[in-house]
């Protein structure tokens, strides 16, 4: 029994170790200068793979991600600052290339839309609850004349008041 637990534990540990992010950077992509390579890796983590869409180009094995990694390294080797590299990629691919889009223009609407929907839905639920919980109008009994006319219209005999 303990042998089974050990083997299951070892398999779980191996699965957890393998579940970490897979760096897709190939050895031929690495810059010779360690400082430039560190900058390239930091920028690659911030850029979206256009094929995978929810992975950074640093983690993606897609050919386009490789091209973007090489482009980042070329710009860094050419002497561009981090901001210049990011601006170049945004001008070429749009803000979609950023894993964390900026907070301006139409992006503000995209960032705030979920909260606005929640707020409007909450207000709608509150109003619906208040309407349901509000006391309904009191029922006013019919006057004796109205009751007599109703019974006449329905063809019923008037109740005998003496028996009540």
């Amino acid at each position: 029994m303990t042998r089974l637990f050990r083997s299951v534990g070892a398999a779980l540990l191996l699965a957890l170790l393998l579940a970490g992010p897979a760096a897709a950077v190939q050895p031929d992509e690495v810059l010779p200068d360690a400082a430039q390579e560190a900058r390239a890796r930091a920028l690659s983590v911030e850029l979206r793979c256009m094929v995978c869409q929810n992975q950074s180009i640093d983690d993606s094995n897609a050919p386009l991600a490789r091209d973007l990694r090489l482009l980042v390294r070329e710009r860094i080797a050419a002497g561009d600052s981090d901001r210049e590299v990011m601006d170049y990629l945004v001008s070429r691919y749009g803000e979609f290339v950023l894993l964390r889009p900026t907070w301006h223009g139409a992006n503000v609407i995209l960032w705030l839309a979920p909260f606005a929907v929640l707020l409007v839905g909450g207000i709608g639920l509150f109003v619906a609850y208040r309407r349901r919980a509000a006391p309904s109008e009191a029922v006013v009994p019919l006057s004796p004349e109205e009751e007599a006319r109703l019974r006449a219209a329905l063809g019923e005999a008037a109740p005998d008041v003496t028996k009540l």
Side-chain angles (χ1 to χ4, degrees):
M1 190 66 157
T2 58
R3 181 179 281 177
L4 175 67
F5 286 125
R6 285 184 188 164
S7 61
V8 168
L12 286 174
L13 180 62
L14 181 63
L16 287 174
L17 290 174
L18 294 176
V25 177
Q26 302 298 317
D28 62 332
E29 297 176 25
V30 178
L31 291 169
D33 182 7
Q36 288 182 336
E37 179 60 26
R39 284 180 51 212
R41 294 299 291 264
L43 290 175
S44 295
V45 170
E46 298 293 321
L47 296 169
R48 179 189 317 271
C49 173
M50 302 298 221
V51 177
C52 307
Q53 296 194 8
N54 282 333
Q55 265 186 327
S56 70
I57 62 171
D58 198 49
D59 296 331
S60 175
N61 286 325
L64 181 60
R66 176 182 165 79
D67 293 343
L68 287 173
R69 287 192 304 266
L70 290 173
L71 183 61
V72 166
R73 283 166 173 75
E74 285 174 16
R75 302 297 295 191
I76 288 174
D80 286 359
S81 69
D82 292 354
R83 182 79 265 150
E84 290 172 333
V85 172
M86 295 299 264
D87 289 343
Y88 176 77
L89 290 170
V90 168
S91 70
R92 198 160 179 199
Y93 296 100
E95 282 201 14
F96 186 71
V97 77
L98 301 175
L99 274 175
R100 288 182 294 169
T102 59
W103 181 265
H104 76 279
N107 290 344
V108 172
I109 296 170
L110 293 174
W111 282 100
L112 295 178
F115 301 110
V117 168
L118 284 174
L119 181 66
V120 169
I123 290 171
L125 287 173
F126 178 75
V127 168
Y129 175 76
R130 294 283 295 191
R131 282 186 183 167
R132 180 170 285 200
S136 61
E137 296 179 17
V139 178
V140 179
L142 296 175
S143 67
E145 296 84 28
E146 291 171 332
E147 191 172 338
R149 281 191 309 163
L150 178 63
R151 291 196 181 281
L154 294 174
E156 296 178 358
D160 189 4
V161 183
T162 57
K163 290 185 180 178
L164 295 176

